[in-house]
Structure formats: C-alpha cells, structure tokens
Amino acid sequence: NPTNRALFLRLLQQRRGVVHELRRMNQYGILSFYLPAWRRIVGQMQHDLFHVYTVDQHILQVLRNVRRFMVAEHAHEYPLLTRICTGFEKPWLIYIAALLHDVAKGRGGDHSKLGMKDARDFCESHGLEAADTNLVEWLVQHHLSMSNVAQKQDLSDLEVIQRFAALVHDERHLNALYILTHADIRGTSPKVWNGWKGKLLEDLYFATQRLLRGAT
C-alpha cells in the first residue's frame, strides 16, 4: 500500500519518537504485519556469548543507540558520533539499515548476505534513490566488517587499512558503517561494550579517513 509505505518512511525520517513508535509497533504486531521478514525474528533467542536480547529486541536497542548518537543532549557522551551524525545527509538511512541488519537471522546461512535482499526490496518498494538503496544494502551486508577488522586485525599494518578503505570506498560509507557498528556492539549486551573496543574502532575510523583523503 503506497500510503502505508509513505507513512512508514515519514516515521523513520521524523526527529523525535522514532524508537518509541517502532517499539509500540513491535509490541502490537504491526511491524510483523508490515514487514513479513520481521515475523521470523520476534522472540527469537540468540545462542551466543554476546547477545542477551532476542533478535527483535536487539534491533530495537540498536535503533535506540543510533537515535542517541543523533540527539544533541547526548553529545557529551558520544562527541565524535554526534558530530558525524549531525553532518550525515539523510541519517534516517542508518535507521533503515539498523532495522534490517539482523532481520535474516535464523534462516540458515550468512544472515548478512541473506538480509541484503530484504534491504533492497524494502528500499525499492519505498521509492528510495539508487545511491541510498545501495548504501543500505551495503550496510546490511557489511555490518560486521568494521568490528571484525578493528578487533581481529593489526591496525598498524597499512595493508589492513588499505583493504578496509577499498571496502568502504568513500567517507559516506565509512561514516555510516562507523555509526551502525557502534550502535550494534552497544546493543548486544550492557556488558559487551568497553573503552578498548571504542578505541580500536576510532583508530580504524581515523586511519581509514586519512587514507580516503589522500594521506599515505
């Protein structure tokens, strides 16, 4: 229904109340009705060492985190993230990526790759521009890439930074992935995030930014 799609997109684009409304939509089954892929993850447990929330509740936590990064009153907590969010054109695209980043969990196979189709279908059915659709789809595909590089590879190795810079390609993708990665890690469990992980992500962010701007 074009009217419903327009209303849902307008919800994601509004400045306040986004997460509150999505939580209510989830509680009353509206999200499951609107997004068929969402039905499979409601109440779905995650059997790993990190996630303490069901998949749907984790996603809502990630959305909450993204929202906090975008609000000026929390700038003292997340100065770099708030600055990046403030300068990011169409920040609501990150909401869409956050909403869909784990929506394919539990289907078997790589949920990042499986979720790409859900992301593209959502964006195309809601009339997003091609560049915006590509960004959301890319974020869903690579939402684990930055944390994996930051925590598992040698950030003093220039080749590591060069490979990651080639993956993100430009600062728009880098900024969006940095925001989503922060929100995702913080949304797994209150105990998972720490300053060491934050420093690794920040180091990778700035090293990649310098390379994308032409530094050697």
Side-chain angles (χ1 to χ4, degrees):
N1 183 305
T3 301
N4 288 341
R5 288 195 289 270
L7 288 172
F8 191 75
L9 209 56
R10 195 177 305 161
L11 165 65
L12 295 174
Q13 294 171 353
Q14 68 185 25
R15 291 185 176 273
R16 294 190 176 276
V18 178
V19 180
H20 175 72
E21 291 303 325
L22 289 172
R23 285 189 187 280
R24 291 181 64 202
M25 290 174 72
N26 187 46
Q27 181 180 354
Y28 293 112
I30 299 171
L31 264 182
S32 293
F33 178 79
Y34 187 73
L35 300 173
W38 189 269
R39 298 170 195 167
R40 306 185 187 186
I41 61 167
V42 174
Q44 182 186 123
M45 296 300 299
Q46 305 190 69
H47 302 287
D48 57 39
L49 298 175
F50 308 106
H51 293 82
V52 299
Y53 305 108
T54 58
V55 180
D56 60 320
Q57 292 302 321
H58 161 68
I59 289 175
L60 292 169
Q61 284 292 114
V62 175
L63 283 159
R64 169 190 173 273
N65 292 338
V66 174
R67 173 61 189 154
R68 286 176 70 86
F69 300 156
M70 296 184 182
V71 179
E73 52 257 43
H74 298 297
H76 65 286
E77 294 181 65
Y78 321 104
L80 175 59
L81 286 158
T82 302
R83 189 169 79 243
I84 294 170
C85 286
T86 301
F88 194 88
E89 185 186 11
K90 301 179 182 178
W92 48 271
L93 293 173
I94 304 174
Y95 285 141
I96 298 175
L99 184 68
L100 300 172
H101 79 285
D102 276 352
V103 80
K105 276 196 168 180
R107 295 186 201 169
D110 186 338
H111 74 281
S112 300
K113 291 182 179 178
L114 292 171
M116 291 169 63
K117 184 180 186 303
D118 295 305
R120 176 159 291 275
D121 289 347
F122 178 95
C123 293
E124 290 180 347
S125 68
H126 288 76
L128 270 66
E129 296 175 8
D132 296 338
T133 297
N134 291 338
L135 175 63
V136 172
E137 182 182 33
W138 181 89
L139 285 170
V140 171
Q141 179 185 6
H142 293 289
H143 70 270
L144 298 174
S145 297
M146 192 170 194
S147 60
N148 285 336
V149 172
Q151 296 180 48
K152 298 179 181 179
Q153 299 189 38
D154 182 2
L155 300 185
S156 66
D157 185 341
L158 181 58
E159 289 187 2
V160 170
I161 307 303
Q162 288 173 332
R163 284 196 299 270
F164 186 68
L167 174 69
V168 300
H169 187 64
D170 57 38
E171 285 195 54
R172 187 185 193 220
H173 285 70
L174 174 63
N175 288 339
L177 185 58
Y178 183 62
I179 295 165
L180 181 59
T181 302
H182 252 277
D184 191 17
I185 296 175
R186 287 177 178 268
T188 56
S189 161
K191 298 179 180 180
V192 165
W193 180 260
N194 57 47
W196 173 73
K197 291 178 181 177
K199 182 66 165 59
L200 289 175
L201 286 175
E202 188 174 304
D203 288 348
L204 178 56
Y205 173 81
F206 281 121
T208 306
Q209 185 187 65
R210 286 193 295 272
L211 206 59
L212 290 172
R213 292 182 176 182
T216 57

